[in-house]
Amino acid sequence: MNIQILSKKTKDLTSKELSIMNNSRIKEYGKQEKIDFKKADSNGEFIFVKDNGEIKAFGMMKPVKVELDGKKYVIYGIGRDLSLEKGKGYGRVLNEARITKLKKTGKTGIAFTSTHNIRFLEKVGYKIERNGIRKFLYKNPKGELIEDNDGEMVYYEGKDKFVTKLLKSKNKAIVDTDFW
């Protein structure tokens, strides 16, 4: 094994990388999961795990503006994870790289997932808040507040202690990004 971790801004992704990412998503989840990454994640970056030069896993991190109790925060939204070969440690390497980046920046990182991923994500260093997605509302461009009640919140808490504040608050956090 010759593992490499590569981080690229979404705008710098090559057509080959985009094709591998979308073909992998379609194979794993179905045709409806094809994404225009450059539009949906334009201000983000992707972390790739490569083995002998081949992409084995990838995932996105992007800044998300959040308002809670009248204060504004910028956290990292984490998502779009996919390991192309299961059970070989590539997903673990991807998420360890994300946590390392979060530690270096001091930022909080939050993902939303289904229950079947929880044990794995806890093992790699994230904390879990069951039904945590219910603490968020997405404010769309029309100003409408949209709720999503299905998802566990997976997080790494940064220096801003955003998650601690969120869990103590009686209010919901308002985000500017559709539930990444």
Side-chain angles (χ1 to χ4, degrees):
M1 289 177 71
N2 182 17
I3 302 290
Q4 298 172 295
I5 298 168
L6 175 68
S7 179
K8 290 181 87 171
K9 297 284 183 195
T10 303
K11 66 182 178 70
D12 297 328
L13 295 174
T14 67
S15 58
K16 182 179 179 183
E17 289 164 337
L18 292 166
S19 178
I20 290 169
M21 292 162 63
N22 263 316
N23 289 338
S24 300
R25 287 181 60 82
I26 290 167
K27 182 179 176 185
E28 184 80 13
Y29 307 117
K31 292 179 187 174
Q32 74 281 3
E33 291 302 319
K34 185 175 182 182
I35 295 176
D36 181 348
F37 294 103
K38 291 196 176 190
K39 182 178 179 186
D41 303 315
S42 61
N43 64 340
E45 67 179 277
F46 279 81
I47 297 174
F48 293 94
V49 177
K50 293 185 173 188
D51 191 357
N52 292 317
E54 286 186 42
I55 296 172
K56 298 296 182 177
F58 61 88
M60 174 274 304
M61 293 177 69
K62 65 182 172 184
V64 175
K65 294 177 185 172
V66 184
E67 187 174 328
L68 177 67
D69 296 330
K71 294 184 181 177
K72 296 184 186 231
Y73 301 86
V74 177
I75 64 168
Y76 274 110
I78 301 171
R80 314 266 193 245
D81 297 36
L82 190 58
S83 186
L84 282 58
E85 292 182 39
K86 311 286 187 222
K88 299 209 175 175
Y90 300 123
R92 179 186 48 76
V93 171
L94 168 66
N95 283 289
E96 287 172 351
R98 282 178 166 156
I99 289 172
T100 297
K101 180 176 177 72
L102 292 167
K103 285 179 181 177
K104 284 181 183 175
T105 63
K107 294 281 188 190
T108 293
I110 295 179
F112 302 111
T113 190
S114 57
T115 55
H116 76 278
N117 293 319
I118 298 297
R119 288 172 52 130
F120 166 73
L121 292 165
E122 280 180 312
K123 283 182 188 177
V124 297
Y126 293 105
K127 292 184 179 177
I128 311 300
E129 179 64 29
R130 297 287 180 160
N131 297 307
I133 198 167
R134 293 180 182 171
K135 292 289 289 179
F136 291 85
L137 293 170
Y138 163 55
K139 189 174 189 177
N140 72 14
K142 295 178 183 176
E144 300 165 323
L145 295 175
I146 299 170
E147 196 169 28
D148 184 343
N149 287 320
D150 186 27
E152 315 299 346
M153 180 173 69
V154 176
Y155 66 94
Y156 176 85
E157 186 153 49
K159 292 177 183 175
D160 60 9
K161 298 292 182 195
F162 174 76
V163 175
T164 297
K165 294 171 187 172
L166 175 68
L167 297 177
K168 286 181 180 177
S169 178
K170 293 180 181 176
N171 298 313
K172 293 188 178 194
I174 310 296
V175 296
D176 73 338
T177 304
D178 193 6
F179 297 100
W180 60 94

